[in-house]
């Protein structure tokens, strides 16, 4: 079975500061990794995904994430956040071989203030 | 191109009543998924359709939940009778072709409140 742990439930930061949202996963099989974002009153939107290849993945809106197999982590980073980045962020995994269900973490609320 | 749409956006019902949620996937997407988020918890998978067939329904909590996908297009999720613990946000997602590599596009969700 797979599980995802998002280590921070809330992350408050000031505008233009860097941010890192942490995600660790557990799985006995190889997985694909995802970050989704949910802005207020909207559905989940894919930020980025890791399938294979380079461990540094770049996504939309200036976000990037690094897959670390030895530490089973997939932390999300942005060097300079904006007020508009305020949202809830979800890390998710899915098995590679079979099954398609996304397994989500509990989410991290990023609050950006001026 | 229209995204995944869900109806209604909110539903408030009494315990014991029936509620039907609807999801319209992106046109041409064969894969359709239902997920649920109970307050304070993670988003959890309920089931997966490939066209009109249930591929995986391992996440369905009990037999009070019935999902259908007519003609491989829209899907409905019926809860009958509803219980208090069914409250939460129900998300629908769709994807095309390879069910894992292709992105799952999510709808805005239906917020269900059972009183």
């Amino acid at each position: 079975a797979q599980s995802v742990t998002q280590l921070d439930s809330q992350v408050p930061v000031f505008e233009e500061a860097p941010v890192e949202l942490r995600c660790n996963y557990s799985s006995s099989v190889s997985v694909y990794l995802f970050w989704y974002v949910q802005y207020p009153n909207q559905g989940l939107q894919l930020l980025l995904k890791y399938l294979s290849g380079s461990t540094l993945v770049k996504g939309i809106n200036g976000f990037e994430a690094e897959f670390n197999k030895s530490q089973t982590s997939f932390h999300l980073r942005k060097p300079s956040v904006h007020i508009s980045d305020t949202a809830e962020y979800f890390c998710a995994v899915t098995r590679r071989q079979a099954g398609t269900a996304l397994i989500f973490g509990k989410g991290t609320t990023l609050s950006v203030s001026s | 191109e229209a995204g995944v749409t869900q109806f209604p956006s909110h539903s408030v019902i009494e315990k014991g009543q029936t509620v039907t949620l609807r999801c319209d996937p992106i046109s041409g997407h064969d894969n359709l998924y239902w997920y649920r988020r109970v307050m304070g918890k993670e988003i959890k998978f309920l089931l997966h359709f490939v066209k009109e067939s249930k591929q995986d329904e391992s996440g369905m909590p009990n037999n009070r939940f019935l999902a259908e996908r007519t003609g491989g297009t829209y899907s409905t999720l019926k809860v009958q009778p509803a219980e208090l613990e069914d409250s939460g946000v129900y998300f629908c997602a769709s994807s095309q072709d390879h069910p894992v590599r292709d992105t799952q596009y999510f709808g805005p969700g239906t917020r269900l409140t059972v009183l």
Side-chain angles (χ1 to χ4, degrees), chain A residues 32-73:
Chain A
Y32 296 123
L33 296 142
F34 306 81
W35 275 98
Y36 280 85
V37 59
Q38 185 179 23
Y39 298 104
N41 301 315
Q42 295 185 29
L44 279 74
Q45 179 181 0
L46 181 72
L47 268 181
L48 48 81
K49 59 185 177 183
Y50 174 77
L51 304 180
S52 63
S54 172
T55 57
L56 183 63
V57 180
K58 294 191 182 296
I60 62 172
N61 301 339
F63 284 93
E64 63 180 31
E66 185 153 21
F67 169 56
N68 188 319
K69 188 175 182 179
S70 62
Q71 297 187 9
T72 60
S73 67

Side-chain angles (χ1 to χ4, degrees), chain A residues 88-113:
Chain A
E88 190 163 19
Y89 293 78
F90 297 92
C91 182
V93 304
T94 190
R95 288 176 292 169
R96 290 177 177 234
Q97 283 82 10
T100 60
L102 286 164
I103 310 298
F104 285 91
K106 288 189 176 181
T108 298
T109 299
L110 175 65
S111 300
V112 183
S113 57

Side-chain angles (χ1 to χ4, degrees), chain A residues 32 34 36 38 41-46 49 51 88 90 94-96 98-107, chain B residues 31 33 35 37 40-45 48 55-56 89 91 98-109:
Chain A
Y32 296 123
F34 306 81
Y36 280 85
Q38 185 179 23
N41 301 315
Q42 295 185 29
L44 279 74
Q45 179 181 0
L46 181 72
K49 59 185 177 183
L51 304 180
E88 190 163 19
F90 297 92
T94 190
R95 288 176 292 169
R96 290 177 177 234
T100 60
L102 286 164
I103 310 298
F104 285 91
K106 288 189 176 181
Chain B
N31 297 286
Y33 315 81
Y35 294 85
R37 189 184 193 192
K41 305 268 185 158
E42 63 270 27
I43 300 168
K44 284 198 170 180
F45 167 78
H48 169 215
Q55 184 77 10
D56 179 0
V89 180
F91 291 101
H98 192 288
V100 176
R101 287 199 301 273
D102 282 301
T103 300
Q104 291 187 29
Y105 294 90
F106 281 77

Side-chain angles (χ1 to χ4, degrees), chain A residues 5-24:
Chain A
T5 302
Q6 292 184 242
L7 296 154
D8 306 293
S9 59
Q10 303 209 20
V11 174
V13 294
F14 287 108
E15 194 173 19
E16 298 183 8
V19 71
E20 178 180 81
L21 306 184
R22 297 179 294 169
C23 172
N24 286 95

